[in-house]
Amino acid sequence: MTELIFFTNQVIISGLVLGCIYALGAIGITLIFGILRFAHFAHSELMTGGAFIAFLLASAFAAWGIVTPIPTGFVVLPIAMVLAAIMALGIDKGFYAPLRKRGAKPVTLLIASIGVTLMIQGLIRLFFGAGSYSFFEHEPKEVFRFDMAGIGSTRPLVITEPQVLMILVTLVSVLALHFFLTRSRLGKAMRAMADNADLAQVSGINTALVVRVTWIIAGALGCMAGTMLALDVTLKPDLAFNIILPIFAAAIVGGLGQAYGAIAGGMLIGFAETLAVFNWTMLLRPLNAILPDWMQLPPTLALVPTEYKLTVAFVILVVTLLVRPTGIFKGASS
Amino acid sequence: MIQRSLTLFGGLFCLILLMGWVMGMPFTSSRLVEAAAYALIALGLNIQWGYGGLFNFGIMGFLMVGGAAVTFISYPVNPVFWGSEGPMMLGKALLAFAAGALLVYAARKSDRIGITGKWKMALTVLAWFVAYVFYRSQLDPAAAYIESAAGGGWIGGLGGHPVLGWLFGGVLAAGIAYVVGKICLGLRTDYLAIATIGISEIIRALIKNMDWLTRGTLTVSPIPWPTPLPQEFQAGGMNIANSLLGARASYLLLALVVLGVVLWLISRAYAGPWGRMMRSIRDNHVAASSMGKNVTARQLEIFVFGSVLMGIGGAMLVSFVQIFDPSSYQPINHTFLIWVMVIVGGAGNNWGALFGAVLMWLIWVVSEPLSKTVFEFVSSWSTQFGWGAIPEIEARSAQMRVFVLGLVITIALRFAPKGLIPEVVKRET
Amino acid sequence: MPLIELKHVVGGYGGAPILNGVNIAIEKTDIGVIVGPNGAGKSTTLKAIFGLLKVTGGTIDFGGENIANSLPDKLVPKGLSFVPQEKNVFTSMSVEENLEMGAFTRTDDFSSTMEWVYEMFPVLREKRRQPAGELSGGQRQMVAMGRALMSKPTLLMLDEPSAGLSPRYVIEIFETIQRVNKEGVGILMVEQNARQALAFASKGFVLASGQNRFTGTGAELIADPEVAKSFLGG
């Protein structure tokens, strides 16, 4: 049983947490691709920027002496999401909208998004330096340990408070997004525009409004993903820049333009990464008792060494592009 | 058009003179050597993007491959490794690799013996898995042995001439580009961008972590120069300042010769039928393929050619700085910077790419000291007013160049989308 | 006063104009059919009315104001609707959602309009939960028309509604168009099946090189030997 609990701690919980973050980021990327037809690289900066906004708000709360029962990062999250959505709208207005007006190709917008990435990255580093910050300087990070001796495990089940909240918040957001896309007028208009932008325009759908709503959702969910990542690990200027490719991989594996695909893709990549570096000997060690001597398990038995963890996402990405470029949910074709 | 180019290049020359005067000649001459290498890399991207419309976001990977290649060829031989059992074990790993490749190949051809559909798929996946495990079972002990003291730490170099290393960098980059191109070139532009960036990250992870081959994060130095080092000039009785200048000037001369030859070759090719065909493929590949042009083969060709230049350029940079440090490679510095060079200079125009490369490299290197000066000025001013000084000026100004790079590219896309020296579109009269 | 009146409309996609002075007038009770050879500017005329390309000269009067260069999201609430020739349904969305998208500009309750559309196309009611992409060509055309009718237009414009349909469906679509017209919706359509369409048209316009060549009732145009010879294939 100890082995099974270890597996839960190492793979199920961390895979789920990673999957949530990837999924939330990938939803934004896939929605922007569906509506505006370009790969938005600066999404990482919406995430990092959002996380820094949340951090500033949390620090302000701490400075005013406001104590909250759950981590302050989660309390300030709604305000941070609103600010991040405004930031996303501003970025679109300042950088992408003029190019779209000129009728620039998607590739030009892609390059412009690299420019935006560099600018925001530069600004964040300018103001915050290159160091890392923690949300838990003024409050403890609570860790729940569930004693599993009852089922014969010597190890406890370990999960931190932010992780529990993160999984819950993701679940709620995904459900909210689902209802928005399938029940609301604007959500349906968004799907319509992703399906056929010309027809959406002809139907009288206010496409400029749909574009704005897309940026609002992308900015808000990006901020959520970034903040939660920062709550789980630490906040640094290249927080999301380092994981933007796995997020793209999640969006592509799920099928670009497909919101549900992005969620599935995020979970898939998250679990693939944790499973690939998991040391299987830890789980299979009881087998040593029944295996003959020459077949004893080596001390480490992982599919790939830990330092190649991020590479797993790229390999899945490349294989997906080769075998099924439309992704599992049939997104935009290549 | 020509007048505009001449004015711009004249301006660039004045900028270099100004830089030499303000920052000193030794600093400027070093930056010029690097600029020449970057120009070569930018020409490579210009071939891929400007000529062929291929979106390569994996430039960093090719630069690393070039750097690793020149390290391997030109670094002195490691006698401990060659005297140990390392080579033998590596040979076994190589055999395991070949056997694995054969296995996968056989599985892919299994339809010949009647295994098709899902079964073939399953068999192929299984073959990949078995091949991977088998290869790892041979390589891991070999790597561990070589990295130990008995194995010599790493395999070392071959002690060859650095210029040979540059060539090998080109060859190695070509080989990788061929594989990458075979896999990815059928993809639509934005998928290609993401796929190439992913592959370059895989290459970076490999080079960084294969300590037995590249020494990884332990870094390799000093890597020899193709031209005499300043120390050799000093041994000839020259003073330090002059020896630095002399050594760098000779390196620069060699780099310029390489650059000149490459520029001459590709300009000729581009003006000829081959260039016309490439442009037609870029502008409308459906029309080009209906004219009987083999679009995929031509695109692969151009991807490989461009990557060769990136490999050589990457090797030249590593030779010059004399150290190969895999952790110093970043997408911002080694992929996006090159893109900004080509976009700002003018995609599709070699002179534009050349101009963009030198200009952007100079902007990139001076933006740190320049912003430091500005910060110090503002800081002293704000101190006078009693608002206090700006903290950590050093660290902050180091980050400014990333912002400046982003600013330049967004301004260029907005106001000069075709670049400063745009592609010349010839019209039949 | 006509429902819509185009006076000497000039326009194109930025280069040389495609329309060089088109004149069209339609009453609320009319079925207007535009015919002409390929490249005559038939579809372009509809797109010009709908603000999908730049009008550089002339006026388009609709409901008492000049609507030239207005965008669809302003035109649809005014009572104008357009069914494009291709890709005219949202393939990934259900039939009902397609219809809802047609009513996007409406803020009132549109359930009675949806009922009206379902009565006109009973097959759509059966398939209302199915993705529109899974329907046959004829049924898709019905979804497209239904979507356009959801905004309760006074003028419905159709770009080659019979294109790609089997002869049986062509007749059915033409019958539906006449039925819609009887319910008080003016029709302006472009057709390749010129003879068949002119047979029930109350107004016919023959365009060539972006200009009116002949104008008259459908019957008049069919009877005109010159029109028949040059434009209706003898």
Short mmCIF file of all heavy atoms in Angstrom, two decimals, chain B residues 153-183:
data_model
loop_
_atom_site.label_atom_id
_atom_site.label_comp_id
_atom_site.label_asym_id
_atom_site.label_seq_id
_atom_site.Cartn_x
_atom_site.Cartn_y
_atom_site.Cartn_z
N GLY B 153 35.94 11.56 -17.94
CA GLY B 153 35.00 12.67 -17.77
C GLY B 153 34.12 12.89 -18.97
O GLY B 153 32.91 12.94 -18.88
N TRP B 154 34.72 13.01 -20.12
CA TRP B 154 33.94 13.13 -21.36
C TRP B 154 34.83 12.71 -22.51
O TRP B 154 36.01 12.43 -22.31
CB TRP B 154 33.38 14.54 -21.53
CG TRP B 154 34.45 15.59 -21.78
CD1 TRP B 154 35.52 15.87 -20.99
CD2 TRP B 154 34.53 16.45 -22.91
NE1 TRP B 154 36.26 16.86 -21.54
CE2 TRP B 154 35.68 17.25 -22.71
CE3 TRP B 154 33.74 16.65 -24.05
CZ2 TRP B 154 36.06 18.21 -23.64
CZ3 TRP B 154 34.12 17.63 -24.96
CH2 TRP B 154 35.28 18.39 -24.75
N ILE B 155 34.29 12.66 -23.71
CA ILE B 155 35.08 12.07 -24.79
C ILE B 155 36.13 13.01 -25.34
O ILE B 155 37.03 12.57 -26.05
CB ILE B 155 34.18 11.55 -25.94
CG1 ILE B 155 33.42 12.70 -26.59
CG2 ILE B 155 33.25 10.47 -25.44
CD1 ILE B 155 32.71 12.27 -27.86
N GLY B 156 36.03 14.32 -25.00
CA GLY B 156 37.05 15.24 -25.49
C GLY B 156 36.88 15.56 -26.96
O GLY B 156 35.84 15.28 -27.56
N GLY B 157 37.93 16.15 -27.54
CA GLY B 157 37.83 16.56 -28.93
C GLY B 157 38.71 15.71 -29.83
O GLY B 157 39.20 14.65 -29.42
N LEU B 158 38.89 16.19 -31.06
CA LEU B 158 39.74 15.48 -32.01
C LEU B 158 41.01 16.26 -32.31
O LEU B 158 41.89 15.78 -33.00
CB LEU B 158 38.98 15.21 -33.31
CG LEU B 158 37.79 14.26 -33.23
CD1 LEU B 158 37.17 14.09 -34.60
CD2 LEU B 158 38.22 12.91 -32.67
N GLY B 159 41.08 17.49 -31.82
CA GLY B 159 42.27 18.30 -32.03
C GLY B 159 42.45 18.77 -33.46
O GLY B 159 43.56 19.07 -33.89
N GLY B 160 41.38 18.87 -34.21
CA GLY B 160 41.47 19.31 -35.61
C GLY B 160 41.47 20.82 -35.71
O GLY B 160 41.38 21.54 -34.71
N HIS B 161 41.59 21.32 -36.94
CA HIS B 161 41.58 22.77 -37.16
C HIS B 161 40.16 23.31 -36.98
O HIS B 161 39.20 22.67 -37.42
CB HIS B 161 42.09 23.09 -38.56
CG HIS B 161 42.40 24.55 -38.73
ND1 HIS B 161 41.45 25.45 -39.14
CD2 HIS B 161 43.54 25.25 -38.52
CE1 HIS B 161 42.00 26.66 -39.18
NE2 HIS B 161 43.28 26.56 -38.81
N PRO B 162 40.02 24.47 -36.30
CA PRO B 162 38.67 25.01 -36.06
C PRO B 162 37.84 25.18 -37.33
O PRO B 162 36.63 24.98 -37.30
CB PRO B 162 38.95 26.36 -35.41
CG PRO B 162 40.27 26.17 -34.74
CD PRO B 162 41.04 25.24 -35.61
N VAL B 163 38.49 25.56 -38.44
CA VAL B 163 37.71 25.76 -39.67
C VAL B 163 37.06 24.45 -40.09
O VAL B 163 35.92 24.42 -40.58
CB VAL B 163 38.58 26.35 -40.78
CG1 VAL B 163 37.82 26.41 -42.09
CG2 VAL B 163 39.04 27.76 -40.41
N LEU B 164 37.78 23.35 -39.86
CA LEU B 164 37.17 22.04 -40.11
C LEU B 164 35.94 21.86 -39.22
O LEU B 164 34.92 21.29 -39.64
CB LEU B 164 38.17 20.92 -39.81
CG LEU B 164 39.19 20.60 -40.88
CD1 LEU B 164 40.11 19.49 -40.40
CD2 LEU B 164 38.48 20.18 -42.16
N GLY B 165 36.07 22.34 -37.98
CA GLY B 165 34.96 22.27 -37.04
C GLY B 165 33.76 23.05 -37.53
O GLY B 165 32.62 22.61 -37.40
N TRP B 166 34.04 24.23 -38.13
CA TRP B 166 32.93 25.03 -38.68
C TRP B 166 32.22 24.23 -39.76
O TRP B 166 31.00 24.17 -39.79
CB TRP B 166 33.43 26.34 -39.28
CG TRP B 166 34.08 27.26 -38.30
CD1 TRP B 166 34.24 27.05 -36.96
CD2 TRP B 166 34.68 28.52 -38.57
NE1 TRP B 166 34.89 28.10 -36.39
CE2 TRP B 166 35.17 29.04 -37.35
CE3 TRP B 166 34.84 29.29 -39.74
CZ2 TRP B 166 35.81 30.26 -37.26
CZ3 TRP B 166 35.47 30.52 -39.65
CH2 TRP B 166 35.96 31.00 -38.43
N LEU B 167 33.03 23.63 -40.63
CA LEU B 167 32.43 22.85 -41.71
C LEU B 167 31.61 21.70 -41.14
O LEU B 167 30.49 21.44 -41.58
CB LEU B 167 33.52 22.29 -42.64
CG LEU B 167 34.21 23.34 -43.51
CD1 LEU B 167 35.30 22.70 -44.35
CD2 LEU B 167 33.19 24.02 -44.42
N PHE B 168 32.19 21.04 -40.12
CA PHE B 168 31.47 19.92 -39.51
C PHE B 168 30.17 20.42 -38.88
O PHE B 168 29.13 19.74 -38.94
CB PHE B 168 32.36 19.24 -38.46
CG PHE B 168 31.74 18.01 -37.86
CD1 PHE B 168 31.38 16.94 -38.68
CD2 PHE B 168 31.50 17.92 -36.50
CE1 PHE B 168 30.80 15.81 -38.13
CE2 PHE B 168 30.93 16.79 -35.95
CZ PHE B 168 30.57 15.73 -36.76
N GLY B 169 30.21 21.63 -38.30
CA GLY B 169 28.99 22.24 -37.77
C GLY B 169 27.93 22.35 -38.84
O GLY B 169 26.76 22.03 -38.62
N GLY B 170 28.36 22.81 -40.03
CA GLY B 170 27.44 22.92 -41.16
C GLY B 170 26.88 21.56 -41.54
O GLY B 170 25.68 21.40 -41.75
N VAL B 171 27.77 20.56 -41.60
CA VAL B 171 27.34 19.22 -42.02
C VAL B 171 26.35 18.64 -41.02
O VAL B 171 25.29 18.10 -41.39
CB VAL B 171 28.56 18.28 -42.16
CG1 VAL B 171 28.11 16.85 -42.39
CG2 VAL B 171 29.46 18.75 -43.30
N LEU B 172 26.68 18.76 -39.73
CA LEU B 172 25.82 18.22 -38.69
C LEU B 172 24.45 18.91 -38.70
O LEU B 172 23.41 18.25 -38.61
CB LEU B 172 26.49 18.42 -37.33
CG LEU B 172 26.22 17.37 -36.26
CD1 LEU B 172 26.58 15.99 -36.76
CD2 LEU B 172 27.03 17.70 -35.00
N ALA B 173 24.48 20.24 -38.85
CA ALA B 173 23.22 20.99 -38.92
C ALA B 173 22.41 20.53 -40.12
O ALA B 173 21.19 20.39 -40.05
CB ALA B 173 23.50 22.49 -38.99
N ALA B 174 23.10 20.27 -41.23
CA ALA B 174 22.41 19.82 -42.44
C ALA B 174 21.72 18.49 -42.18
O ALA B 174 20.56 18.30 -42.55
CB ALA B 174 23.41 19.68 -43.59
N GLY B 175 22.43 17.58 -41.51
CA GLY B 175 21.84 16.28 -41.23
C GLY B 175 20.59 16.41 -40.38
O GLY B 175 19.54 15.82 -40.69
N ILE B 176 20.70 17.23 -39.32
CA ILE B 176 19.54 17.40 -38.44
C ILE B 176 18.41 18.09 -39.18
O ILE B 176 17.25 17.70 -39.07
CB ILE B 176 19.96 18.16 -37.17
CG1 ILE B 176 20.81 17.21 -36.32
CG2 ILE B 176 18.75 18.65 -36.39
CD1 ILE B 176 21.42 17.83 -35.12
N ALA B 177 18.77 19.12 -39.98
CA ALA B 177 17.75 19.84 -40.73
C ALA B 177 17.03 18.90 -41.69
O ALA B 177 15.82 19.02 -41.90
CB ALA B 177 18.38 21.00 -41.50
N TYR B 178 17.77 17.95 -42.25
CA TYR B 178 17.14 17.01 -43.18
C TYR B 178 16.07 16.20 -42.46
O TYR B 178 14.94 16.08 -42.94
CB TYR B 178 18.21 16.08 -43.78
CG TYR B 178 17.65 15.10 -44.77
CD1 TYR B 178 17.40 15.50 -46.09
CD2 TYR B 178 17.35 13.79 -44.40
CE1 TYR B 178 16.87 14.62 -47.00
CE2 TYR B 178 16.82 12.90 -45.31
CZ TYR B 178 16.58 13.31 -46.62
OH TYR B 178 16.04 12.44 -47.51
N VAL B 179 16.41 15.69 -41.28
CA VAL B 179 15.45 14.89 -40.52
C VAL B 179 14.26 15.76 -40.10
O VAL B 179 13.09 15.40 -40.31
CB VAL B 179 16.13 14.27 -39.28
CG1 VAL B 179 15.12 13.51 -38.45
CG2 VAL B 179 17.26 13.36 -39.71
N VAL B 180 14.56 16.94 -39.53
CA VAL B 180 13.49 17.83 -39.08
C VAL B 180 12.60 18.22 -40.25
O VAL B 180 11.37 18.19 -40.16
CB VAL B 180 14.09 19.11 -38.44
CG1 VAL B 180 13.02 20.12 -38.12
CG2 VAL B 180 14.86 18.75 -37.18
N GLY B 181 13.24 18.55 -41.37
CA GLY B 181 12.47 18.97 -42.55
C GLY B 181 11.58 17.85 -43.05
O GLY B 181 10.42 18.07 -43.39
N LYS B 182 12.13 16.63 -43.10
CA LYS B 182 11.33 15.48 -43.54
C LYS B 182 10.09 15.35 -42.68
O LYS B 182 9.01 15.03 -43.16
CB LYS B 182 12.17 14.20 -43.38
CG LYS B 182 12.99 13.86 -44.61
CD LYS B 182 12.12 13.14 -45.62
CE LYS B 182 12.94 12.75 -46.83
NZ LYS B 182 12.10 12.53 -48.01
N ILE B 183 10.27 15.58 -41.37
CA ILE B 183 9.15 15.40 -40.45
C ILE B 183 8.15 16.56 -40.57
O ILE B 183 6.96 16.35 -40.64
CB ILE B 183 9.66 15.33 -38.98
CG1 ILE B 183 10.56 14.11 -38.80
CG2 ILE B 183 8.50 15.25 -38.01
CD1 ILE B 183 11.19 14.03 -37.43
#
